Amino acid sequence: MNAVFLLFTFQDTGAKYLVIAGIAPLFVAWMRYATHLLAVPFLLQGWRNPGRFRAASLPAQALRSLMLFGSSIFNFMALQTLQLAETTSIAFFGPMVVTALAGPLLGEWAGWRRWMAILAGFVGVLIITRPGFGSFAVGHLYALCGMLSYCLYVIMTRRLSATETAESMILYSALVPVVLLLPALPLMVSLPKDALHWAVLLSIGVFGAIAHWFLIKAYQIATASALAPYPYVQMIWMIAAGWLVFDQLPDVWTLVGASVIVASGLYIIHREHRLRLTMSAAPSAEDEELAKKL
């Protein structure tokens, strides 16, 4: 998991380097998934069992893939003006939004303690963006849209995990946006000007593909609850990358807001872990329903 989020940091750092150099975010996102698509068969050794890549529901896979692609586009657009740490801090609010949306969309309703943690996380987002104080910019709006798009992607992943293979979801997450946007490619191409930009452009897709492969490996050897806190380690990598590559350090407000969001997210992880333990020990359906409200 540490390797996963280090690679995601490399990916976002490369994307920011490219978009501030004038390369269109949409083209960077398309190339990220095109390279990902080429790498997937080799990483997953697709020739051994091609049936693993078959989709049970192609429309649902396509919708899920577009949600992931949308999160990448909005994130790359946000990186044109925001620091790496700012976009990551706002993205950290995503698990709380997923917890809130899981009620109406999946029937997994949160109790009042988790709702309080969600509200606290929202306060953290407000501290970072500070609307009404001249700090809220279009980059923050893009980051919020990217976070919401990613949340819908996570919800779709939860719903499809019962019927779709992990290999098919990795494949179609890249295949769908690459194919659908192929006719528009001539309109959005802004080619890199030198070998370094080409190397960075090709590397971000490789980083993303390898990161998803590591993610699958992590979930094969550890439980979801054990891995849940690890995404927050990415904040360390992002701050370091922002300082080393772009000579940027987050301001005090960003650090305070990120701390509030991380604390809220960790509390939700703790509550959901406790809830699973309580439900596993619940002797009756009534006790199980009571546990869900805690």
Side-chain angles (χ1 to χ4, degrees), residues 244-259:
L244 291 172
V245 180
F246 305 107
D247 195 25
Q248 296 177 337
L249 286 173
D251 59 19
V252 174
W253 292 108
T254 299
L255 292 176
V256 171
S259 299

Side-chain angles (χ1 to χ4, degrees), residues 108 114 158 223-229 268-282 288 291-292:
E108 302 172 3
R114 280 176 290 165
R158 284 192 186 180
T223 63
S225 59
L227 299 178
I268 287 178
I269 292 171
H270 166 72
R271 288 301 305 170
E272 290 182 347
H273 176 66
R274 291 286 301 274
L275 175 62
R276 281 191 291 270
L277 293 178
T278 304
M279 290 176 64
S280 65
E288 183 175 325
K292 289 181 180 180

Side-chain angles (χ1 to χ4, degrees), residues 54-129:
R54 187 177 298 112
S57 175
L58 186 55
Q61 285 267 26
L63 180 60
R64 170 185 172 274
S65 302
L66 290 176
M67 292 298 102
L68 179 61
F69 186 67
S71 72
S72 295
I73 293 175
F74 284 124
N75 186 50
F76 292 171
M77 293 171 72
L79 287 171
Q80 288 180 303
T81 56
L82 298 185
Q83 293 185 16
L84 291 168
E86 286 182 283
T87 58
T88 304
S89 299
I90 293 173
F92 281 166
F93 186 56
M96 282 157 266
V97 176
V98 171
T99 300
L101 293 177
L105 296 181
L106 298 177
E108 302 172 3
W109 295 96
W112 69 270
R113 290 183 178 87
R114 280 176 290 165
W115 272 109
M116 292 300 294
I118 292 170
L119 292 175
F122 181 66
V123 170
V125 173
L126 293 179
I127 292 173
I128 294 171
T129 58

